[in-house]
Amino acid sequence: MMGANKAKAALGKKAPNFTLPAASGGNVSLKDYLGRKVVLFFYPKDLTTACTTEACDFRDAMPDFTEQGAVLLGISIDDVATHERFIAKYELPYELLADTDHKACELYGVWQLKKLYGREYMGLVRSTFLIDEKGKLVREWRNLRVKGHVDNVLQAVRGE
């Protein structure tokens, strides 16, 4: 499903392509969006407090992103059925992609060792990437806090 391109994400370089199952049906590849700005946001889990806040913040700012010609793509390791419930419950107007084998997460360096209550485990670290119309990675926000994040991304999309 991932193809031969195993290049890791790096600022100023071409964003690694991936193909993942979409909640709307079928598969979505990053290369499908060449010619448009893409806001690619990785989040840990559907229907959890911080992820719901982030998803709804992106939802509420969707008209502003659309006005700037940007596409929003959300990725977590949840499956398509869970994404469908998340979209339905919160009326999310953008595509959610299922990276159940965390291949795209690994390409973008967001699948990392995490610690919680003294327990170590591998997990998805909340991160966002801005990809320009030529497919180049131009901004990244790693291990971010949700509060104010969508505003920061929108400013970057606007070139501010």
Side-chain angles (χ1 to χ4, degrees):
M1 187 182 320
M2 291 304 302
N5 182 5
K6 295 293 181 197
K8 296 280 186 187
L11 280 175
K13 303 286 186 194
K14 186 169 178 59
N17 188 48
F18 54 80
T19 301
L20 294 172
S24 64
N27 290 324
V28 167
S29 295
L30 182 61
K31 66 183 178 191
D32 298 340
Y33 296 97
L34 277 174
R36 298 183 72 184
K37 294 175 192 169
V38 176
V39 174
L40 186 62
F41 68 99
F42 290 85
Y43 64 98
K45 191 156 182 56
D46 290 338
L47 302 163
T48 58
T49 305
C51 295
T52 297
T53 299
E54 180 181 27
C56 290
D57 287 351
F58 274 119
R59 175 199 65 202
D60 296 346
M62 183 75 176
D64 298 316
F65 284 104
T66 301
E67 183 179 288
Q68 297 300 313
V71 174
L72 296 175
L73 297 174
I75 298 178
S76 81
I77 60 170
D78 291 312
D79 62 23
V80 167
T82 307
H83 283 341
E84 290 168 349
R85 287 193 299 277
F86 194 33
I87 288 168
K89 184 168 183 176
Y90 295 102
E91 299 179 5
L92 304 178
Y94 46 80
E95 193 64 79
L96 295 182
L97 307 176
D99 189 16
T100 55
D101 58 6
H102 47 80
K103 296 286 193 213
C105 293
E106 290 178 27
L107 285 174
Y108 284 81
V110 301
W111 187 251
Q112 298 176 11
L113 186 65
K114 297 171 81 173
K115 290 183 182 181
L116 183 65
Y117 304 119
R119 187 175 71 91
E120 290 187 344
Y121 62 98
M122 292 301 290
L124 195 162
V125 175
R126 185 183 317 279
S127 303
T128 301
F129 301 88
L130 176 58
I131 300 162
D132 72 9
E133 296 87 345
K134 294 178 182 165
K136 186 170 75 173
L137 182 59
V138 293
R139 286 289 303 270
E140 61 182 19
W141 296 264
R142 293 181 178 273
N143 199 17
L144 58 95
R145 297 272 176 238
V146 172
K147 187 175 172 68
H149 174 60
V150 170
D151 292 333
N152 292 335
V153 175
L154 188 54
Q155 285 179 337
V157 168
R158 288 180 173 142
E160 298 172 2

